[in-house]
Amino acid sequence: MAVPTNKAQLLDAMKQGFARLEAELSTIDPEEAQHPGMEGHARGTTMSVNDLVAYLDGWGELVLKWMKLRDRGLEPDFPETGYKWNELGALAQKFYRDQQGLDFSDRLERLRATHARLMALVERLDDDALYGRGWYKQWTLGRMIQFNTASPYANARARIRKWKKAKAAV
């Protein structure tokens, strides 16, 4: 899918990407989702499908946090307070820890709720707010949202498919 350049395309990419991801997640046994075996977000680590869901939710929550801070006239710490862009593996580990103790269905519900809030956010903005000006460095708000929704949804789906294929080959 091409990189969205307007609100309608962004909404479509988010909606389609999430639907495809959910379809893939629906085929995973909740017990199996708990076991590490997938390449992690930090070099040399592994994660579970459950962790992957927490990761996706973590990034979605960050986008919502950035927006809330900006709406209050405050500048967010990008990507997150205490983390730099070259520490995304450590940030991924934080996302996993943030949802430690939640089972697969609870994490999925959180991800669905976060996705719905992100869709509602995009719905209430216009093309100019999303793509008419820079929002963070050279990136528009629409691009920042796409970087943290539609793109990771597709990446997660590919990771899950690769993980399933490797499991089937054993």
Side-chain angles (χ1 to χ4, degrees), residues 91-102:
L91 183 55
Q93 297 291 319
K94 176 198 178 305
F95 294 149
Y96 309 158
R97 286 190 308 274
D98 287 349
Q99 293 190 21
Q100 193 170 7
L102 294 180

Side-chain angles (χ1 to χ4, degrees), residues 30-50:
E31 181 63 34
E32 189 67 26
Q34 307 290 337
H35 301 291
M38 185 181 304
E39 183 180 336
H41 290 99
R43 184 173 295 149
T45 65
T46 60
M47 67 177 168
S48 66
V49 172
N50 210 19

Side-chain angles (χ1 to χ4, degrees), residues 21-80:
L21 174 63
E22 265 203 309
E24 201 67 52
L25 289 168
S26 73
T27 67
I28 297 172
D29 177 81
E31 181 63 34
E32 189 67 26
Q34 307 290 337
H35 301 291
M38 185 181 304
E39 183 180 336
H41 290 99
R43 184 173 295 149
T45 65
T46 60
M47 67 177 168
S48 66
V49 172
N50 210 19
D51 291 333
L52 180 59
V53 172
Y55 173 85
L56 295 169
D57 186 59
W59 276 106
E61 287 290 338
L62 266 185
V63 170
L64 294 167
K65 176 183 174 181
W66 297 337
M67 288 300 299
K68 187 183 297 183
L69 287 169
R70 284 274 178 97
D71 287 348
R72 294 184 3 218
L74 302 171
E75 186 62 21
D77 294 326
F78 288 101
E80 170 64 308

Side-chain angles (χ1 to χ4, degrees), residues 104-169:
F104 189 52
S105 64
D106 291 336
R107 289 185 190 200
L108 285 174
E109 279 307 309
R110 284 181 64 140
L111 179 59
R112 286 182 191 110
T114 299
H115 174 73
R117 290 170 44 217
L118 288 161
M119 292 291 289
L121 167 72
V122 174
E123 284 283 0
R124 75 173 184 260
L125 298 170
D126 62 18
D127 276 336
D128 186 59
L130 288 165
Y131 291 99
R133 57 188 163 279
W135 191 82
Y136 173 73
K137 298 191 178 189
Q138 76 270 28
W139 307 111
T140 64
L141 175 56
R143 191 74 161 120
M144 289 294 288
I145 292 170
Q146 185 258 330
F147 281 148
N148 294 290
T149 59
S151 287
Y153 296 163
N155 180 279
R157 182 171 175 254
R159 282 175 178 260
I160 292 166
R161 292 170 73 94
K162 180 179 176 184
W163 171 74
K164 284 179 175 180
K165 194 174 197 176
K167 281 184 9 157

